[in-house]
Amino acid sequence: MSLKLAILVSGRGSNMTAILQAIAEQRLDAEVSLVFSNNSDAPALDTARGYATPVASVPHRGLTREAHEEKILELLRPLGVDFVVLAGYMRILSSHFLREFKHPDGYYRVINIHPSLLPAFPGAHGYEEAFNYGVRVSGITIHLVDERVDHGPILAQMAFGRLPDDTLESFKSRGLKLEHKLFPEVLQNISRNGVHFFERINPGNEQNSTGLATAGKGGGT
Ligand code: GRF
């Protein structure tokens, strides 16, 4: 089925662009009903306008987290999106927001991309922290969002090696290329097959430790 998406951004928007471009090239069967930013100066908003995609922004300054989220929800509720996609959205979403997107199978219909192999290096500086730590292999993660930061069922990961002469910039740019490739592919997979993820290993419940959990059959919504 064709996915109806809202994309939340805070800055540059290169992942948002990769998604819009994949839709334009019919590699992704989806439509973006709204690009929202908490930053009215986000370059992503102009890019989205260039793809004739509706945009909105509400700065978070001066609002409580819940009041700001409520403003976003007021914009999103009438749209009836299948998934909210976080593409460099630098605000933590509380359960007030997430519960509006609860799927009957228990997960939230909110997807994030993170620039490390989670659970390593969560937080706002995934590339920097992985690079400065000196990892030999890093990667990117696309996951369903839960109440914890950069946490929730993993949908896909891709690894890349750190080269001996890598600078932080070359390391980041190799990762970003993978982000742009993987994000539209994962969304297309959801549009074709619904949401699939491996359940996290749950100590004391061994039958979960290797089982493939599938959820949201028939489109993931
Ligand atoms: C990406 O590295 C993404 O993984 C992280 O924030 C960055 C956003 O970049 N969550 P862009 O705005 O998509 O260019």
Side-chain angles (χ1 to χ4, degrees):
M1 70 170 212
S2 184
L3 287 183
K4 207 168 177 195
L5 307 174
I7 305 181
L8 273 50
V9 293
S10 293
R12 178 179 56 185
S14 67
N15 278 288
M16 174 210 74
T17 306
I19 292 166
L20 291 172
Q21 188 60 29
I23 293 171
E25 292 171 8
Q26 301 184 345
R27 288 180 280 118
L28 171 56
D29 185 12
E31 65 178 278
V32 177
S33 306
L34 184 69
V35 169
F36 172 86
S37 184
N38 60 314
N39 169 14
S40 29
D41 296 327
L45 294 175
D46 272 341
T47 309
R49 285 189 195 98
Y51 282 86
T53 302
V55 301
S57 72
V58 178
H60 58 275
R61 248 165 262 109
L63 295 175
T64 63
R65 187 174 302 280
E66 201 161 302
H68 185 245
E69 289 179 351
E70 193 48 42
K71 301 251 178 228
I72 309 172
L73 289 169
E74 281 166 16
L75 292 166
L76 293 185
R77 278 191 198 106
L79 302 176
V81 297
D82 298 310
F83 286 90
V84 174
V85 174
L86 308 182
Y89 187 63
M90 302 309 282
R91 302 272 304 161
I92 292 167
L93 294 169
S94 76
S95 54
H96 173 76
F97 183 92
L98 294 176
R99 67 178 176 230
E100 296 257 345
F101 299 97
K102 187 143 192 167
H103 187 280
D105 288 339
Y107 63 86
Y108 299 115
R109 293 179 286 115
V110 181
I111 300 176
N112 184 40
I113 184 158
H114 183 75
S116 74
L117 290 175
L118 289 174
F121 308 114
H125 306 288
Y127 283 130
E128 287 82 355
E129 288 185 12
F131 185 83
N132 290 335
Y133 192 93
V135 296
R136 292 299 186 260
V137 174
S138 194
I140 60 166
T141 302
I142 295 171
H143 66 99
L144 293 171
V145 170
D146 68 11
E147 287 83 357
R148 293 167 60 183
V149 176
D150 296 327
H151 191 270
I154 288 173
L155 299 171
Q157 292 184 304
M158 274 181 114
F160 64 93
R162 177 192 177 135
L163 304 178
D165 58 351
D166 256 344
T167 60
L168 175 60
E169 283 318 304
S170 62
F171 179 80
K172 265 188 186 174
S173 93
R174 196 151 355 97
L176 206 54
K177 263 192 203 148
L178 292 184
E179 293 191 41
H180 299 160
K181 176 177 153 48
L182 192 60
F183 215 173
E185 285 180 4
V186 166
L187 294 171
Q188 175 62 3
N189 194 35
I190 291 174
S191 117
R192 286 287 159 267
N193 306 310
V195 167
H196 292 267
F197 51 85
F198 289 96
E199 253 175 46
R200 191 170 292 109
I201 290 171
N202 181 3
N205 183 3
E206 281 171 18
Q207 77 212 28
N208 273 353
S209 67
T210 54
L212 176 64
T214 64
K217 293 179 200 85
T221 59

